Amino acid sequence: MSGLQFDQIRLPPECETLRAEVRAFLAEEIAAGAFDPHRPGHGDSHNRAFSKRVGAKGWIGMTWPKKYGGRDRSFLERYVVTEEFRVANAPVRLHFVADRQSGPILLKYAPEHVKMDILPRICRGELCFAIGMSEPNSGSDLFAAKTRATRTDGGFLINGTKIWTSSAHIADYMIALFRTSPPTKENRRHGLTQFLVKMKQPGIKVNPIGQITGQFEFNEVVFTDHFIPDDHMLGEIDGAWKQATSELAYERSGPERFLETYYVLTELVRAVGAKPDSRSAEGIGRLVAQLHTMRRMSVSVAGMLQAGKEPVVEAAIVKDIGTVWEQQLPHRVRDLAAFVEEDVGNRETLESQLSFAIKTAPKLTIQGGTTEVLRGIIARGLGLR
Ligand SMILES: Cc1cc2nc3c(=O)[nH]c(=O)nc-3n(C[C@H](O)[C@H](O)[C@H](O)COP(=O)(O)OP(=O)(O)OC[C@H]3O[C@@H](n4cnc5c(N)ncnc54)[C@H](O)[C@@H]3O)c2cc1C
């Protein structure tokens, strides 16, 4: 059995200085009315003006080289920024995907002139990216994707449909997987290639899909003879299967993977007050202990990424434990809230947050890879299948 490795990593002191700066920035933004930390799901989660202000602080693409607009800072510093923004329910949707995973892919696989053009704009908070992996008949089994990229003069023509594409209605670019060749007998993962797609161009139609929360955050994207130039092909033709797995370590392990419904816990603590009864104290204590453990694991993965490792299995474990936890959290908080005084000051806020969190919860164990699929990856990584 191959071993799991969670390196013992703690956030270094410079991270705490940065944390204070981030908190001060967020407090100013909240005071200026940019967003309301107590009302997640209200207001525009894609906020261009806010993203530009975050970019101006140097907190987008902050681990990337300076020549591309980055700040050469560590993954652990990025961790602190992500964590503080999530805990405050700040509207990061516009820049978050580009910061977390599209930028790192471009850094690795895009031609130099494309990097020089796009990465600085991501860092300034000007660009929104979408991820075009899932298709109507290809979700967990990514390598069954059928949307075709066919050779033409100077590039490729794209035909087919992507689905559940978050932010495609706002996005300036998408990084997508398209089929350039059929799979081979020896390797069914062969034949897919990653491309940089410029959105809002001829041959791309974005159809919104509503969610149970009433929000419209993901879409169907239909490609009809959409042209992509040669220099927007990323990495090796037919070889995307070698590239997609390292992307997933970035996608799966961050604090955003267990903090999506965290606000209900802090609101419950506020409601319970300084003198909780023993049932509330026990319940909250248990939740906080679990959260603390997950955070140590997640920080460890960030540290391993910083050290140049590819902790794919460890990241899958964080995502699995984290998303199951954040999915159950609103239900546990609702149980504990039953013992809170009826007339407590923040009762209405707590109820409204619970209602939103309970509607958000089902998606958490699906997006970014389902629980069952993650457990399959973990089992394979441990040599159990
Ligand atoms: C809110 C949200 C946002 C999303 N955003 C994006 C996005 O921006 N870009 C994008 O490309 N996709 C996105 N997705 C799609 C997401 O990645 C897929 O929904 C997910 O990978 C599952 O695929 P599927 O929906 O086709 O389900 P299926 O793969 O059909 O799975 C159905 C069920 O079968 C189980 N199953 C499937 N295969 C196995 C297996 N091998 N072993 C055990 N059980 C299995 C699954 O766990 C699941 O319970 C998003 C999804 C959600 C909910």
Side-chain angles (χ1 to χ4, degrees), residues 131-134 139-140 164-166 218 363 366-368 370 372-373:
I131 304 165
M133 291 195 183
S134 308
S140 303
W164 318 126
T165 322
S166 300
F218 57 21
K363 71 168 187 175
I366 302 173
Q367 60 186 12
T370 69
E372 293 75 16
V373 166

Side-chain angles (χ1 to χ4, degrees), residues 301-322:
V301 173
M304 289 192 279
L305 286 171
Q306 176 65 31
K309 301 181 182 175
E310 284 198 1
V312 176
V313 177
E314 290 80 358
I317 292 176
V318 173
K319 204 242 167 209
D320 176 22
I321 298 176

Side-chain angles (χ1 to χ4, degrees), residues 357-371:
I358 285 168
K359 283 183 259 174
T360 306
K363 71 168 187 175
L364 300 172
T365 51
I366 302 173
Q367 60 186 12
T370 69
T371 299

Side-chain angles (χ1 to χ4, degrees), residues 75 141 190 247 305 342:
F75 280 100
D141 187 10
H190 172 89
E247 178 184 345
L305 286 171
E342 210 33 63

